[in-house]
Amino acid sequence: MAGCTVPSSCSSSRIRDPWISAWVMQRSKSSPDPVRPRCLWPCTHRLVAKTSLTSPPWPEVKLPDPVEEAKYHAEVVQKVNGLISAGRYGRLFAVVHFASKQWKITSEDLIMMDNVLEAECGDRIRMEKVLLVGADDFTLIGRPLLGKELVRVEATVIEKTESWPKVNMRFWRRHNYQRKKIIANPQTVLRINTIEIYPCLS
Amino acid sequence: PPPPPPPPPPPPPPPPPPPPPPPGHPRACPRIPGAALPSPPRAGGAPGSLQVPPEVQPFSRASQFVRAAVILRWKTLKEHFRGRKNRCYKLAVKSVRRAFVRSTKARREKKRFLRALWITRIEAASLEHGLKYPAFISNLLKSQVELNRKVLADLAIYEPKTFKSLAALAQRRRQEGFLAALGDGKEPEGIFSRIVHHHY
C-alpha cells in the first residue's frame, strides 16, 4: 500500500463488555473491612466457565509496532516521491468527480455528460475534484479528495449536442390514458487532455 | 384413354389496395374537422405530411393524429418486431405502444440492476482478497475514501493492484475498529456489573 496515510487508532469506546475477565472492584471508603484482594491478570484458575461471550467473536488482532510502522511509511512516501519527481511512471489514470458522477479516466479519453456545461466548445477545463490517481507502480488515494497542488487534470470541451430523441410514454390499459413525450437531453463531450502529478507528498 | 383434365383456371388478380383517405376526407377524424395535421415525432418523416407506406392497409377508424404518429414511429421500429406485428397496423399499434412504455420503465430499472451488477463484481473481487463486501465497503467509507460502486467495479477489473491496496486499507481499518471496540480492557469506574467475575 503506497502513498496513503494509514489512519491512527480511533478513540477507545468505553463499553462494558463481559469479555474482560479481570476487573478492579471499587473499594468503598466507609467500610474499613478488608476487601477481596485485587485480581491480577492472568489468573491460574477461573471460577467462571468459558462461554461464548468470554472472548469476542472476531480473531485476536495485533497491530504492528507504531514506531516501526511510521518509519516504513516515511520510507514508502520518499520512494513514491522519488518516482514521481524522476518521472518514472507510464500512463496515469484518475478517478474524478464531475457532473455529480465519478469517472475513471486517462489521457486522450472521451467523456459524455448528460447536461449542459457553461463553457464554449474548445475551452480548456481543469477538473479539481480528484479522488484517486494511479500509475503502474503506485496509487495515491485521496481521503476523500487529493490536493490541488498534487494533481492536475485538464480537459477540453469538444461538442455540445442533444441526445437521440427518447420516447417517454405512459399508458394505462382500459382507461383511455396515454401520454407521449419526446425528450432530447443536452449533452456535452469532453476530451481529457492530460493528467499530471507533482512530487509534493509528505 | 380418358381425356386429360382441363387446366385449372388462373387465379383472379389480387384487388389493388384502396388508396389512403386524403386529409380532407370525411372518413378522417371528424372530431378535429379543421385542425391542421400534427407535426410528427422527430424520429423520421417530413413534417406536416402523412406518409403512409404502400404496404400498410389502413382498415381502422383510428384518428389521423394517432395513425400518422404511429406509422412514422413504426417505420423506424419495423425491424425490431417479429411476425405480423411488423406488418399489420392494428397489431403494430399495440406493440409499439407497449415497447415505448417498457422502455420508459426500463430506464428507471436500469439504474437498479447496474448497481446490483457492480456490487456483485466488487464482492467477488474483495473475496479474492479475503474480505467480505459489507466489511470492505463500510471500512472504506470509515476511512473517508468515497469511491462509488461503479468506479470500484472498474478498478477491480482494470486496476487489480489498486484494488488490492484498497482491500488492504479496508482490512487495516477493520482491525483498528475491533481494537477500539474492546477498549482499555477495564470496566467503567463506579459501575458494579451484574456479570460478576470472581477470579481468585
Side-chain angles (χ1 to χ4, degrees):
Chain A
M1 194 164 58
C4 59
T5 47
V6 176
S8 53
S9 61
C10 320
S11 60
S12 57
S13 52
R14 290 182 156 267
I15 46 170
R16 194 202 70 196
D17 35 18
W19 303 309
I20 312 304
S21 48
W23 66 287
V24 178
M25 225 165 32
Q26 279 293 340
R27 201 185 276 247
S28 57
K29 289 176 189 169
S30 53
S31 62
D33 306 334
V35 290
R36 285 204 194 96
R38 288 182 180 216
C39 163
L40 295 171
W41 174 255
C43 302
T44 45
H45 57 270
R46 344 159 34 104
L47 284 182
V48 178
K50 195 164 180 196
T51 55
S52 61
L53 290 179
T54 11
S55 60
W58 53 80
E60 208 195 300
V61 162
K62 272 210 178 98
L63 287 187
D65 185 27
V67 170
E68 281 200 23
E69 216 184 1
K71 259 201 292 187
Y72 173 68
H73 286 333
E75 218 181 278
V76 163
V77 165
Q78 215 189 21
K79 211 168 159 184
V80 172
N81 244 346
L83 282 179
I84 298 176
S85 48
R88 296 223 310 266
Y89 48 81
R91 180 172 274 266
L92 284 173
F93 76 91
V95 171
V96 143
H97 184 282
F98 194 66
S100 77
K101 287 183 263 304
Q102 291 182 11
W103 312 80
K104 184 197 158 282
I105 52 177
T106 36
S107 50
E108 305 157 25
D109 245 356
L110 276 178
I111 277 189
M112 187 160 77
M113 304 163 14
D114 229 5
N115 51 20
V116 170
L117 196 60
E118 265 111 30
E120 301 306 313
C121 292
D123 281 358
R124 216 168 151 97
I125 285 179
R126 184 193 172 178
M127 298 189 182
E128 298 189 341
K129 294 187 203 164
V130 183
L131 295 150
L132 207 166
V133 161
D136 195 30
D137 292 325
F138 59 86
T139 332
L140 307 178
I141 306 176
R143 303 171 78 195
L145 294 176
L146 288 171
K148 283 208 238 171
E149 59 278 346
L150 186 54
V151 200
R152 195 180 172 90
V153 179
E154 299 219 325
T156 324
V157 181
I158 289 188
E159 196 186 341
K160 292 167 95 159
T161 53
E162 286 185 330
S163 72
W164 63 285
K166 300 185 187 176
V167 178
N168 215 4
M169 184 144 187
R170 291 184 293 172
F171 174 75
W172 287 350
R173 56 183 177 177
R174 299 187 293 266
H175 286 83
N176 195 20
Y177 171 79
Q178 60 176 341
R179 302 280 181 268
K180 193 177 96 144
K181 192 171 175 186
I182 295 181
I183 299 179
N185 309 317
Q187 288 175 335
T188 321
V189 180
L190 296 170
R191 166 88 68 183
I192 309 293
N193 298 117
T194 51
I195 303 177
E196 291 153 9
I197 41 174
Y198 306 105
C200 43
L201 289 172
S202 56
Chain B
H25 195 115
R27 212 191 316 150
C29 178
R31 281 171 286 163
I32 34 165
L37 262 186
S39 58
R42 233 184 292 165
S49 67
L50 172 58
Q51 291 176 4
V52 180
E55 63 271 17
V56 167
Q57 311 274 336
F59 46 85
S60 75
R61 291 187 180 234
S63 72
Q64 205 155 43
F65 175 94
V66 171
R67 211 138 43 95
V70 164
I71 288 166
L72 289 158
R73 276 178 283 167
W74 164 22
K75 267 167 78 174
T76 54
L77 295 176
K78 211 177 122 183
E79 293 85 29
H80 295 268
F81 291 142
R82 202 182 181 195
R84 278 195 275 180
K85 289 187 285 218
N86 61 25
R87 288 186 298 279
C88 305
Y89 177 76
K90 264 176 157 178
L91 305 174
V93 164
K94 295 180 210 167
S95 302
V96 166
R97 196 185 284 148
R98 282 169 74 77
F100 281 151
V101 167
R102 283 172 173 167
S103 72
T104 333
K105 290 188 186 160
R107 248 177 267 134
R108 299 175 58 194
E109 283 168 19
K110 181 177 172 182
K111 301 160 179 61
R112 291 176 217 171
F113 47 76
L114 271 183
R115 187 174 160 120
L117 177 68
W118 296 328
I119 289 176
T120 315
R121 289 184 173 170
I122 296 170
E123 191 171 354
S126 61
L127 283 172
E128 280 179 8
H129 295 294
L131 263 182
K132 293 192 185 162
Y133 171 81
F136 179 67
I137 287 277
S138 59
N139 287 301
L140 268 195
L141 284 173
K142 287 176 194 170
S143 326
Q144 293 135 18
V145 173
E146 277 167 28
L147 297 165
N148 64 2
R149 285 145 181 88
K150 170 179 124 186
V151 151
L152 283 172
D154 288 343
L155 290 178
I157 297 171
Y158 296 111
E159 316 283 343
K161 298 187 203 172
T162 309
F163 195 85
K164 185 174 179 184
S165 63
L166 286 169
L169 177 66
Q171 177 75 328
R172 174 56 189 257
R173 176 66 184 75
R174 190 167 187 239
Q175 286 167 348
E176 292 183 0
F178 289 156
L179 278 184
L182 284 181
D184 281 346
K186 289 192 203 137
E187 289 276 347
E189 286 155 15
I191 305 244
F192 184 69
S193 160
R194 290 198 70 194
I195 301 163
V196 179
H197 305 264
H198 292 303
H199 299 281
Y200 295 143

PDB file of all heavy atoms in Angstrom, chain B residues 68-87:
ATOM      1  N   ALA B  68     -50.854   8.858 -37.955  1.00  0.00           N
ATOM      2  CA  ALA B  68     -49.644   9.429 -38.548  1.00  0.00           C
ATOM      3  C   ALA B  68     -48.450   9.172 -37.645  1.00  0.00           C
ATOM      4  O   ALA B  68     -47.420   8.669 -38.083  1.00  0.00           O
ATOM      5  CB  ALA B  68     -49.838  10.939 -38.741  1.00  0.00           C
ATOM      6  N   ALA B  69     -48.658   9.488 -36.375  1.00  0.00           N
ATOM      7  CA  ALA B  69     -47.531   9.336 -35.459  1.00  0.00           C
ATOM      8  C   ALA B  69     -47.105   7.882 -35.371  1.00  0.00           C
ATOM      9  O   ALA B  69     -45.917   7.567 -35.421  1.00  0.00           O
ATOM     10  CB  ALA B  69     -47.937   9.854 -34.084  1.00  0.00           C
ATOM     11  N   VAL B  70     -48.109   7.000 -35.275  1.00  0.00           N
ATOM     12  CA  VAL B  70     -47.769   5.587 -35.105  1.00  0.00           C
ATOM     13  C   VAL B  70     -47.066   5.055 -36.336  1.00  0.00           C
ATOM     14  O   VAL B  70     -46.079   4.337 -36.246  1.00  0.00           O
ATOM     15  CB  VAL B  70     -49.036   4.760 -34.810  1.00  0.00           C
ATOM     16  CG1 VAL B  70     -48.775   3.296 -35.026  1.00  0.00           C
ATOM     17  CG2 VAL B  70     -49.492   5.012 -33.404  1.00  0.00           C
ATOM     18  N   ILE B  71     -47.555   5.439 -37.495  1.00  0.00           N
ATOM     19  CA  ILE B  71     -46.946   4.886 -38.708  1.00  0.00           C
ATOM     20  C   ILE B  71     -45.517   5.353 -38.846  1.00  0.00           C
ATOM     21  O   ILE B  71     -44.622   4.592 -39.208  1.00  0.00           O
ATOM     22  CB  ILE B  71     -47.775   5.269 -39.941  1.00  0.00           C
ATOM     23  CG1 ILE B  71     -49.076   4.455 -39.915  1.00  0.00           C
ATOM     24  CG2 ILE B  71     -47.025   5.003 -41.208  1.00  0.00           C
ATOM     25  CD1 ILE B  71     -50.099   4.968 -40.872  1.00  0.00           C
ATOM     26  N   LEU B  72     -45.287   6.618 -38.505  1.00  0.00           N
ATOM     27  CA  LEU B  72     -43.923   7.114 -38.642  1.00  0.00           C
ATOM     28  C   LEU B  72     -42.990   6.450 -37.634  1.00  0.00           C
ATOM     29  O   LEU B  72     -41.858   6.114 -37.944  1.00  0.00           O
ATOM     30  CB  LEU B  72     -43.919   8.629 -38.464  1.00  0.00           C
ATOM     31  CG  LEU B  72     -44.550   9.320 -39.653  1.00  0.00           C
ATOM     32  CD1 LEU B  72     -45.026  10.693 -39.283  1.00  0.00           C
ATOM     33  CD2 LEU B  72     -43.566   9.402 -40.789  1.00  0.00           C
ATOM     34  N   ARG B  73     -43.515   6.249 -36.424  1.00  0.00           N
ATOM     35  CA  ARG B  73     -42.688   5.542 -35.444  1.00  0.00           C
ATOM     36  C   ARG B  73     -42.436   4.129 -35.901  1.00  0.00           C
ATOM     37  O   ARG B  73     -41.365   3.582 -35.795  1.00  0.00           O
ATOM     38  CB  ARG B  73     -43.443   5.459 -34.119  1.00  0.00           C
ATOM     39  CG  ARG B  73     -43.319   6.647 -33.261  1.00  0.00           C
ATOM     40  CD  ARG B  73     -44.133   6.466 -32.024  1.00  0.00           C
ATOM     41  NE  ARG B  73     -45.535   6.659 -32.277  1.00  0.00           N
ATOM     42  CZ  ARG B  73     -46.495   6.321 -31.418  1.00  0.00           C
ATOM     43  NH1 ARG B  73     -46.179   5.757 -30.280  1.00  0.00           N
ATOM     44  NH2 ARG B  73     -47.748   6.531 -31.693  1.00  0.00           N
ATOM     45  N   TRP B  74     -43.484   3.551 -36.415  1.00  0.00           N
ATOM     46  CA  TRP B  74     -43.448   2.144 -36.764  1.00  0.00           C
ATOM     47  C   TRP B  74     -42.461   1.893 -37.884  1.00  0.00           C
ATOM     48  O   TRP B  74     -41.789   0.903 -37.890  1.00  0.00           O
ATOM     49  CB  TRP B  74     -44.877   1.758 -37.124  1.00  0.00           C
ATOM     50  CG  TRP B  74     -45.110   0.506 -37.860  1.00  0.00           C
ATOM     51  CD1 TRP B  74     -44.332  -0.585 -37.952  1.00  0.00           C
ATOM     52  CD2 TRP B  74     -46.275   0.248 -38.597  1.00  0.00           C
ATOM     53  NE1 TRP B  74     -44.942  -1.513 -38.709  1.00  0.00           N
ATOM     54  CE2 TRP B  74     -46.135  -1.039 -39.123  1.00  0.00           C
ATOM     55  CE3 TRP B  74     -47.445   0.984 -38.860  1.00  0.00           C
ATOM     56  CZ2 TRP B  74     -47.115  -1.602 -39.909  1.00  0.00           C
ATOM     57  CZ3 TRP B  74     -48.397   0.405 -39.639  1.00  0.00           C
ATOM     58  CH2 TRP B  74     -48.239  -0.874 -40.162  1.00  0.00           C
ATOM     59  N   LYS B  75     -42.298   2.872 -38.753  1.00  0.00           N
ATOM     60  CA  LYS B  75     -41.335   2.670 -39.826  1.00  0.00           C
ATOM     61  C   LYS B  75     -39.944   2.492 -39.263  1.00  0.00           C
ATOM     62  O   LYS B  75     -39.164   1.695 -39.727  1.00  0.00           O
ATOM     63  CB  LYS B  75     -41.345   3.881 -40.769  1.00  0.00           C
ATOM     64  CG  LYS B  75     -42.273   3.690 -41.923  1.00  0.00           C
ATOM     65  CD  LYS B  75     -42.512   4.981 -42.642  1.00  0.00           C
ATOM     66  CE  LYS B  75     -41.349   5.367 -43.555  1.00  0.00           C
ATOM     67  NZ  LYS B  75     -41.665   6.549 -44.350  1.00  0.00           N
ATOM     68  N   THR B  76     -39.627   3.273 -38.201  1.00  0.00           N
ATOM     69  CA  THR B  76     -38.280   3.127 -37.655  1.00  0.00           C
ATOM     70  C   THR B  76     -38.160   1.864 -36.816  1.00  0.00           C
ATOM     71  O   THR B  76     -37.091   1.300 -36.700  1.00  0.00           O
ATOM     72  CB  THR B  76     -37.943   4.311 -36.745  1.00  0.00           C
ATOM     73  OG1 THR B  76     -38.985   4.411 -35.778  1.00  0.00           O
ATOM     74  CG2 THR B  76     -37.874   5.576 -37.535  1.00  0.00           C
ATOM     75  N   LEU B  77     -39.270   1.400 -36.232  1.00  0.00           N
ATOM     76  CA  LEU B  77     -39.169   0.241 -35.356  1.00  0.00           C
ATOM     77  C   LEU B  77     -39.479  -1.047 -36.093  1.00  0.00           C
ATOM     78  O   LEU B  77     -39.477  -2.112 -35.503  1.00  0.00           O
ATOM     79  CB  LEU B  77     -40.149   0.380 -34.196  1.00  0.00           C
ATOM     80  CG  LEU B  77     -39.860   1.521 -33.246  1.00  0.00           C
ATOM     81  CD1 LEU B  77     -40.949   1.616 -32.214  1.00  0.00           C
ATOM     82  CD2 LEU B  77     -38.545   1.325 -32.553  1.00  0.00           C
ATOM     83  N   LYS B  78     -39.725  -0.961 -37.365  1.00  0.00           N
ATOM     84  CA  LYS B  78     -40.223  -2.126 -38.083  1.00  0.00           C
ATOM     85  C   LYS B  78     -39.279  -3.310 -37.994  1.00  0.00           C
ATOM     86  O   LYS B  78     -39.687  -4.446 -37.916  1.00  0.00           O
ATOM     87  CB  LYS B  78     -40.431  -1.733 -39.543  1.00  0.00           C
ATOM     88  CG  LYS B  78     -41.553  -2.496 -40.181  1.00  0.00           C
ATOM     89  CD  LYS B  78     -41.768  -2.021 -41.576  1.00  0.00           C
ATOM     90  CE  LYS B  78     -41.604  -3.256 -42.443  1.00  0.00           C
ATOM     91  NZ  LYS B  78     -41.696  -3.069 -43.823  1.00  0.00           N
ATOM     92  N   GLU B  79     -37.956  -3.005 -37.983  1.00  0.00           N
ATOM     93  CA  GLU B  79     -37.028  -4.134 -37.990  1.00  0.00           C
ATOM     94  C   GLU B  79     -37.004  -4.862 -36.672  1.00  0.00           C
ATOM     95  O   GLU B  79     -36.448  -5.949 -36.570  1.00  0.00           O
ATOM     96  CB  GLU B  79     -35.612  -3.641 -38.301  1.00  0.00           C
ATOM     97  CG  GLU B  79     -35.421  -3.104 -39.695  1.00  0.00           C
ATOM     98  CD  GLU B  79     -35.815  -1.653 -39.785  1.00  0.00           C
ATOM     99  OE1 GLU B  79     -35.699  -0.941 -38.769  1.00  0.00           O
ATOM    100  OE2 GLU B  79     -36.272  -1.228 -40.846  1.00  0.00           O
ATOM    101  N   HIS B  80     -37.577  -4.259 -35.626  1.00  0.00           N
ATOM    102  CA  HIS B  80     -37.409  -4.855 -34.310  1.00  0.00           C
ATOM    103  C   HIS B  80     -38.505  -5.839 -33.958  1.00  0.00           C
ATOM    104  O   HIS B  80     -38.392  -6.519 -32.963  1.00  0.00           O
ATOM    105  CB  HIS B  80     -37.402  -3.747 -33.255  1.00  0.00           C
ATOM    106  CG  HIS B  80     -36.227  -2.831 -33.392  1.00  0.00           C
ATOM    107  ND1 HIS B  80     -35.060  -3.033 -32.720  1.00  0.00           N
ATOM    108  CD2 HIS B  80     -36.045  -1.750 -34.158  1.00  0.00           C
ATOM    109  CE1 HIS B  80     -34.216  -2.074 -33.058  1.00  0.00           C
ATOM    110  NE2 HIS B  80     -34.784  -1.286 -33.924  1.00  0.00           N
ATOM    111  N   PHE B  81     -39.567  -5.884 -34.760  1.00  0.00           N
ATOM    112  CA  PHE B  81     -40.696  -6.714 -34.381  1.00  0.00           C
ATOM    113  C   PHE B  81     -40.781  -7.945 -35.249  1.00  0.00           C
ATOM    114  O   PHE B  81     -40.398  -7.950 -36.403  1.00  0.00           O
ATOM    115  CB  PHE B  81     -42.002  -5.916 -34.482  1.00  0.00           C
ATOM    116  CG  PHE B  81     -42.103  -4.843 -33.456  1.00  0.00           C
ATOM    117  CD1 PHE B  81     -42.653  -3.625 -33.760  1.00  0.00           C
ATOM    118  CD2 PHE B  81     -41.655  -5.064 -32.175  1.00  0.00           C
ATOM    119  CE1 PHE B  81     -42.750  -2.634 -32.815  1.00  0.00           C
ATOM    120  CE2 PHE B  81     -41.740  -4.080 -31.225  1.00  0.00           C
ATOM    121  CZ  PHE B  81     -42.296  -2.863 -31.547  1.00  0.00           C
ATOM    122  N   ARG B  82     -41.302  -8.986 -34.638  1.00  0.00           N
ATOM    123  CA  ARG B  82     -41.330 -10.289 -35.277  1.00  0.00           C
ATOM    124  C   ARG B  82     -42.757 -10.650 -35.588  1.00  0.00           C
ATOM    125  O   ARG B  82     -43.651 -10.411 -34.791  1.00  0.00           O
ATOM    126  CB  ARG B  82     -40.772 -11.286 -34.268  1.00  0.00           C
ATOM    127  CG  ARG B  82     -40.243 -12.534 -34.885  1.00  0.00           C
ATOM    128  CD  ARG B  82     -39.777 -13.448 -33.793  1.00  0.00           C
ATOM    129  NE  ARG B  82     -39.234 -14.659 -34.377  1.00  0.00           N
ATOM    130  CZ  ARG B  82     -39.011 -15.758 -33.708  1.00  0.00           C
ATOM    131  NH1 ARG B  82     -39.280 -15.803 -32.443  1.00  0.00           N
ATOM    132  NH2 ARG B  82     -38.526 -16.815 -34.305  1.00  0.00           N
ATOM    133  N   GLY B  83     -42.966 -11.256 -36.734  1.00  0.00           N
ATOM    134  CA  GLY B  83     -44.301 -11.747 -37.063  1.00  0.00           C
ATOM    135  C   GLY B  83     -45.179 -10.650 -37.635  1.00  0.00           C
ATOM    136  O   GLY B  83     -44.701  -9.691 -38.244  1.00  0.00           O
ATOM    137  N   ARG B  84     -46.492 -10.787 -37.411  1.00  0.00           N
ATOM    138  CA  ARG B  84     -47.426  -9.834 -38.017  1.00  0.00           C
ATOM    139  C   ARG B  84     -47.350  -8.470 -37.368  1.00  0.00           C
ATOM    140  O   ARG B  84     -47.920  -7.510 -37.872  1.00  0.00           O
ATOM    141  CB  ARG B  84     -48.843 -10.366 -37.918  1.00  0.00           C
ATOM    142  CG  ARG B  84     -49.143 -11.358 -39.025  1.00  0.00           C
ATOM    143  CD  ARG B  84     -50.606 -11.607 -39.139  1.00  0.00           C
ATOM    144  NE  ARG B  84     -51.031 -12.641 -38.204  1.00  0.00           N
ATOM    145  CZ  ARG B  84     -52.287 -13.053 -38.090  1.00  0.00           C
ATOM    146  NH1 ARG B  84     -53.235 -12.500 -38.822  1.00  0.00           N
ATOM    147  NH2 ARG B  84     -52.607 -13.985 -37.237  1.00  0.00           N
ATOM    148  N   LYS B  85     -46.649  -8.384 -36.232  1.00  0.00           N
ATOM    149  CA  LYS B  85     -46.531  -7.081 -35.578  1.00  0.00           C
ATOM    150  C   LYS B  85     -45.798  -6.081 -36.454  1.00  0.00           C
ATOM    151  O   LYS B  85     -45.938  -4.883 -36.268  1.00  0.00           O
ATOM    152  CB  LYS B  85     -45.762  -7.222 -34.263  1.00  0.00           C
ATOM    153  CG  LYS B  85     -46.529  -7.937 -33.179  1.00  0.00           C
ATOM    154  CD  LYS B  85     -45.776  -7.869 -31.891  1.00  0.00           C
ATOM    155  CE  LYS B  85     -44.617  -8.825 -31.952  1.00  0.00           C
ATOM    156  NZ  LYS B  85     -44.373  -9.490 -30.687  1.00  0.00           N
ATOM    157  N   ASN B  86     -44.947  -6.575 -37.356  1.00  0.00           N
ATOM    158  CA  ASN B  86     -44.227  -5.608 -38.184  1.00  0.00           C
ATOM    159  C   ASN B  86     -44.915  -5.362 -39.515  1.00  0.00           C
ATOM    160  O   ASN B  86     -44.371  -4.699 -40.385  1.00  0.00           O
ATOM    161  CB  ASN B  86     -42.768  -6.034 -38.388  1.00  0.00           C
ATOM    162  CG  ASN B  86     -42.633  -7.371 -39.086  1.00  0.00           C
ATOM    163  OD1 ASN B  86     -43.523  -7.793 -39.814  1.00  0.00           O
ATOM    164  ND2 ASN B  86     -41.519  -8.039 -38.862  1.00  0.00           N
ATOM    165  N   ARG B  87     -46.140  -5.916 -39.712  1.00  0.00           N
ATOM    166  CA  ARG B  87     -46.832  -5.712 -40.988  1.00  0.00           C
ATOM    167  C   ARG B  87     -48.233  -5.167 -40.804  1.00  0.00           C
ATOM    168  O   ARG B  87     -48.685  -4.369 -41.599  1.00  0.00           O
ATOM    169  CB  ARG B  87     -46.927  -7.041 -41.739  1.00  0.00           C
ATOM    170  CG  ARG B  87     -45.611  -7.515 -42.310  1.00  0.00           C
ATOM    171  CD  ARG B  87     -45.819  -8.746 -43.153  1.00  0.00           C
ATOM    172  NE  ARG B  87     -46.349  -9.877 -42.393  1.00  0.00           N
ATOM    173  CZ  ARG B  87     -45.617 -10.686 -41.642  1.00  0.00           C
ATOM    174  NH1 ARG B  87     -44.336 -10.502 -41.523  1.00  0.00           N
ATOM    175  NH2 ARG B  87     -46.174 -11.690 -40.997  1.00  0.00           N
TER     176      ARG B  87
END
